[in-house]
Amino acid sequence: MLFRSTTQEILGWFDYEDAYDFLLNTIPNNGNFVECGAWLGKSSSYLCDIASSKRPDVSIYIVDSWKGSEDELSTNHYLATITDVYQIFLNNMGQRKFIPIKGLSKDIVNNFDNNSLDVIYIDMNHSYEYVKEDIELWYPKLKLNGYMGGHDYNKDWPGVIKAVNEK
């Protein structure tokens, strides 16, 4: 069965609980957290669960195309070629409080004003070009003293490392 309810049950990749805990604690009252990249909702469910228990005043926006990364459709994101990943995500998220935004960064980033976001966490397409573009697009939306972070800064994803180091 693909539909799960707890973070531990949801299929996917998530090993940055400490980062989300830290980032939620830094957000001022009534702040905004944007998670770019959700897949089936493993990290998103954790983020929403911890926010609802410790920071219910924070608005959580979850951005993804739910179509998979082009270069991963034959591997990690194969599921997107055979089913509606967005519907699985919604089912996995259940009644958690969040605002889903379906699309690529370049298509939706202007839904947010410049200097309006306290945290932006990027974990979408891992190619150099996309990571660089995501950083460039999202950075103006970040408030002064806000945090921009991301995942997969490691040898398995050289494009992530190169883009982050350049930007």
Side-chain angles (χ1 to χ4, degrees):
M1 181 163 92
L2 292 174
F3 307 128
R4 312 291 184 188
S5 59
T6 68
T7 297
Q8 294 78 17
E9 293 174 316
I10 297 171
L11 302 174
W13 311 272
F14 179 55
D15 59 1
Y16 39 94
E17 295 91 341
D18 292 347
Y20 273 10
D21 293 342
F22 170 80
L23 292 168
L24 276 171
N25 286 330
T26 68
I27 297 176
N29 290 340
N30 301 308
N32 298 298
F33 190 121
V34 174
E35 180 187 48
C36 299
W39 194 233
L40 300 179
K42 191 169 190 77
S43 61
S44 306
S45 65
Y46 181 86
L47 175 61
C48 291
D49 289 346
I50 202 77
S52 71
S53 67
K54 295 183 179 180
R55 294 302 310 273
D57 61 303
V58 172
S59 296
I60 306 292
Y61 299 89
I62 301 174
V63 175
D64 202 311
S65 70
W66 288 281
K67 294 182 179 181
S69 300
E70 294 169 15
D71 57 340
E72 295 184 61
L73 289 177
S74 62
T75 57
N76 293 331
H77 294 168
Y78 175 73
L79 188 61
T81 68
I82 60 171
T83 193
D84 184 353
V85 174
Y86 182 61
Q87 191 58 56
I88 295 170
F89 166 79
L90 291 176
N91 290 340
N92 285 341
M93 293 299 287
Q95 298 301 310
R96 290 175 175 94
K97 181 184 163 198
F98 68 99
I99 301 155
I101 304 175
K102 193 173 182 182
L104 299 173
S105 292
K106 65 182 179 180
D107 299 324
I108 57 85
V109 70
N110 288 323
N111 291 355
F112 299 94
D113 293 333
N114 287 350
N115 306 306
S116 66
L117 303 174
D118 299 287
V119 174
I120 303 165
Y121 199 87
I122 298 173
D123 187 17
M124 294 176 82
N125 188 307
H126 296 77
S127 72
Y128 164 76
E129 294 81 10
Y130 277 99
V131 175
K132 183 178 175 185
E133 179 181 63
D134 281 345
I135 294 168
E136 290 170 349
L137 289 169
W138 286 104
Y139 188 75
K141 308 304 175 181
L142 195 62
K143 287 181 183 176
L144 182 64
N145 298 319
Y147 286 89
M148 178 179 278
H151 191 232
D152 298 310
Y153 184 92
N154 64 57
K155 64 179 175 54
D156 296 330
W157 299 105
V160 174
I161 292 173
K162 182 177 179 189
V164 170
N165 288 349
E166 283 184 15
K167 297 317 282 177

